């Protein structure tokens, strides 16, 4: 059995769990942006507030790293994981902001698939963060990888549909911007999962 001199500092795990919960909230708000009859301006404001709260948690993690002599795992990995979670939240907030600013009336049905994938990624990430201490998370990073591949496939289909000639050129540009932000959010979740995998390999 491997022996570790690293401390069991529950504060880091609590903060990472808190950060992931922001993602769950953000993904729910993002889904609401696509609901019929939604006040998108109000929801975009809620999303900005949620993103600001996520930033506070990210800063708390970084500040704790700077004040802690011995960390639960490598400092560079803590930084990367914290900023990776933050990037996922940023991607969702940017998508919500564009939906509001562009005033798009309707979206192709395939957009719902991307949002569902984002919500699933957020749920899995939130479930994984409390398990960082044990790092028994192989199924988590494998499932995120599968979801990311599904997202890539859906993204390609959406782009193909947008350039089919059935949409106004300006509408294509707006929708393309939004779906690229959604795709970026999914990719950010995969980056988080890969970082967790790297931590697990290092600490094993």
């Amino acid at each position: 059995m491997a022996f570790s001199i690293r401390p069991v500092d529950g504060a880091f795990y609590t903060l990472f769990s808190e950060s992931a919960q922001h993602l769950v909230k953000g993904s729910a708000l993002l889904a609401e942006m696509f609901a019929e009859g939604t006040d998108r301006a109000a929801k975009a404001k809620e999303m900005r507030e949620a993103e600001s709260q996520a930033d506070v948690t990210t800063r708390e993690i970084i500040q704790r790293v700077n004040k802690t002599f011995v960390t639960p795992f490598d400092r560079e990995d803590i930084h990367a994981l914290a900023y990776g979670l933050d990037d996922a939240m940023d991607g969702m907030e940017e998508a919500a902001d564009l939906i509001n600013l562009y005033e798009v009336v309707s979206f192709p049905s395939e957009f719902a698939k991307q949002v569902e994938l984002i919500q699933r990624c957020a749920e899995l990430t939130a479930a994984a963060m409390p398990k960082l201490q044990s790092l028994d998370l192989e199924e988590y990073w494998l499932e995120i990888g599968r979801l990311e591949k599904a997202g890539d496939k859906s993204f390609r289909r959406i782009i193909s549909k947008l350039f089919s000639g059935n949409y106004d050129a300006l509408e294509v540009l707006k929708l393309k911007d939004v779906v690229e932000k959604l795709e970026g959010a999914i990719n950010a979740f995969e980056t988080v999962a890969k970082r967790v995998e790297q931590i697990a390999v290092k600490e094993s």
Side-chain angles (χ1 to χ4, degrees):
M1 179 180 295
F3 176 74
S4 175
I5 62 170
R6 294 189 185 276
V8 180
D9 186 345
F12 281 105
Y13 306 116
T14 298
L15 287 169
F16 279 125
S17 296
E18 181 180 310
S19 184
Q21 286 301 324
H22 291 308
L23 299 179
V24 173
K25 180 177 181 179
S27 68
L29 288 170
L30 182 61
E32 291 174 23
M33 291 290 294
F34 287 90
E36 187 175 348
T38 294
D39 183 343
R40 288 176 173 164
K43 288 300 173 185
K45 181 180 178 182
E46 284 186 56
M47 180 67 95
R48 286 193 295 274
E49 292 169 352
E51 192 272 336
S52 293
Q53 291 169 3
D55 282 345
V56 171
T57 303
T58 301
R59 286 195 295 271
E60 287 179 3
I61 294 171
I62 301 307
Q63 288 170 2
R64 191 168 190 87
V65 171
N66 294 336
K67 294 177 181 178
T68 303
F69 181 66
V70 183
T71 54
F73 42 90
D74 287 350
R75 293 171 187 275
E76 65 179 32
D77 291 323
I78 293 175
H79 278 89
L81 184 54
Y83 287 125
L85 292 164
D86 191 62
D87 286 344
M89 190 68 186
D90 287 345
M92 290 188 287
E93 190 276 328
E94 289 167 5
D97 194 42
L98 288 179
I99 291 167
N100 177 51
L101 292 175
Y102 284 168
E103 299 181 340
V104 179
V105 176
S106 62
F107 293 85
S109 58
E110 291 84 357
F111 274 66
K113 175 66 174 178
Q114 294 295 83
V115 177
E116 288 173 7
L117 290 172
I118 287 172
Q119 287 187 286
R120 183 59 181 149
C121 285
E123 292 166 359
L124 287 171
T125 303
M129 290 301 104
K131 301 176 183 177
L132 276 175
Q133 195 163 340
S134 67
L135 290 172
D136 183 19
L137 290 166
E138 182 175 3
E139 184 53 39
Y140 154 69
W141 64 68
L142 290 176
E143 180 60 19
I144 291 290
R146 286 190 284 267
L147 292 173
E148 192 275 335
K149 286 182 174 60
D152 280 347
K153 186 175 181 180
S154 178
F155 174 73
R156 290 193 294 270
R157 287 180 175 177
I158 291 170
I159 294 298
S160 176
K161 186 171 185 176
L162 291 181
F163 287 96
S164 65
N166 296 324
Y167 292 87
D168 173 79
L170 182 58
E171 201 75 358
V172 168
L173 292 175
K174 292 178 179 181
L175 292 171
K176 183 173 179 289
D177 274 356
V178 173
V179 77
E180 284 177 344
K181 293 301 182 183
L182 298 177
E183 173 71 359
I186 296 173
N187 289 340
F189 277 108
E190 186 192 31
T191 298
V192 169
K194 286 182 176 179
R195 178 59 62 178
V196 171
E197 181 180 9
Q198 290 169 2
I199 293 170
V201 170
K202 282 185 180 182
E203 297 299 316
S204 64

